[in-house]
Amino acid sequence: MSTGSIRIKGLSHSYGATAVLKDIHLDVSPGEFVAIVGPSGSGKSTLLSLLSGYLKPTSGVLERTGTTRTVHQADGLYPWLTVEGNLALGLPRLDAASKRRAVSDMVGRIGLVGFEKSFPHALSGGMRQRVEIGRALCGGTDVLMLDEPFSALDYLTRLKMRGELCRLLEDQPRTVILVTHDIEEATQLADRVLVLSERPASIVYELKIDVPRPRDVTASGVVDATKAVLKAMGYEP
Ligand code: ADP
Ligand code: MG
């Protein structure tokens, strides 16, 4: 199993005078699926940028093992490359034959057989998202970071994509950090859900969800977890 771990202690980050993250502590074990939820603007994307090494924290300790790939909400595919071409970009330096094999294998996993030569504009939003996730998984990345990956999709496609992600992870286990404002997405998918406060954000609530995947959104364990997270975020029905 190829996965990585993360350990952060007393991590804080500011953009100039704007304090965004304050005293974050987090340990993620290899193969764990952690979801981070929080209000818009609380610093979720900033936290992922710190975890992936794209940003350096203002203070605190961050240790990471393994390689990282991030999938963003925004359409990150290259429009001038086909599905195959985009997937091949996720691969490390391999000889042409191994690259072809790996791409063709991933095309099957993401359910896009027959669309290898299609360009992104000819695909639906859900299909494009699958290529993005496939590209991130292709190179054997140890830690998959997902930044609101399904938020542009309609509800049904989102449910399907969650299922696809579970299947891909079953096939190829990874450590996953999912950042989302969709609480149900977090409780349906994650082993552990963390709630961030308003900015400057710290982790104000943590919930372990011990229900085997794939999980139905209506399963009692998922519904109970959603209720608990909503309560922690101050929601009263
Ligand atoms: P989230 O992903 O939770 O919506 P972000 O991490 O994108 O939050 O942003 C947190 C805060 O930091 C916001 O107030 C945002 O305006 C600010 N911010 C984000 N990126 C930058 C940047 N590069 N420079 C200055 N401020 C930023
Ligand atoms: Mg964000």
Side-chain angles (χ1 to χ4, degrees):
M1 180 158 101
S2 151
T3 61
S5 64
I6 291 169
R7 162 166 293 186
I8 61 183
K9 281 189 221 140
L11 186 92
S12 298
H13 194 71
S14 305
Y15 294 108
T18 311
V20 174
L21 296 169
K22 195 181 153 205
D23 200 26
I24 306 272
H25 294 260
L26 171 65
D27 276 335
V28 180
S29 330
E32 194 180 8
F33 192 136
V34 171
I36 300 172
V37 300
S40 186
S42 56
K44 301 184 296 299
S45 296
T46 301
L47 182 56
L48 277 196
S49 298
L50 292 165
L51 291 176
S52 67
Y54 182 72
L55 278 180
K56 290 274 162 285
T58 312
S59 60
V61 177
L62 194 158
E63 292 160 8
R64 204 185 61 212
T65 64
T67 53
T68 304
R69 284 282 181 138
T70 307
V71 175
H72 297 281
Q73 171 194 343
D75 225 328
L77 297 181
Y78 290 99
W80 58 86
L81 292 178
T82 61
V83 165
E84 282 180 336
N86 271 286
L87 288 175
L89 283 183
L91 291 166
R93 269 173 246 138
L94 286 179
D95 62 89
S98 315
K99 213 170 220 184
R100 265 199 306 279
R101 251 197 317 277
V103 166
S104 135
D105 174 64
M106 187 51 76
V107 166
R109 286 179 201 279
I110 60 177
L112 289 180
V113 174
F115 294 91
E116 293 87 344
K117 308 287 179 206
S118 299
F119 287 91
H121 68 84
L123 304 174
S124 70
M127 291 160 106
R128 283 201 296 273
Q129 200 71 55
R130 276 185 269 165
V131 180
E132 293 222 33
I133 292 174
R135 184 173 63 181
L137 287 173
C138 234
T141 300
D142 302 314
V143 184
L144 184 61
M145 309 238 188
L146 302 169
D147 194 353
E148 316 236 12
F150 309 140
S151 59
L153 308 175
D154 66 81
Y155 186 69
L156 196 59
T157 311
R158 236 184 292 164
L159 285 181
K160 287 183 188 161
M161 287 302 303
R162 293 179 199 166
E164 306 254 11
L165 178 62
C166 285
R167 270 189 293 280
L168 282 170
L169 289 172
E170 209 171 293
D171 267 11
Q172 306 192 301
R174 297 300 147 92
T175 305
V176 181
I177 311 284
L178 166 73
V179 153
T180 180
H181 59 246
D182 185 334
I183 293 154
E184 184 194 79
E185 183 169 292
T187 54
Q188 191 186 7
L189 292 173
D191 299 315
R192 187 151 57 111
V193 178
L194 307 175
V195 176
L196 290 183
S197 63
E198 295 277 353
R199 188 163 60 80
S202 53
I203 295 169
V204 289
Y205 182 72
E206 181 170 337
L207 181 69
K208 276 206 156 76
I209 304 173
D210 202 5
V211 178
R213 275 185 299 267
R215 305 170 182 158
D216 195 287
V217 256
T218 58
S220 63
V222 174
V223 172
D224 289 348
T226 303
K227 284 182 185 163
V229 171
L230 282 168
K231 187 158 181 250
M233 295 178 88
Y235 174 75
E236 298 283 352

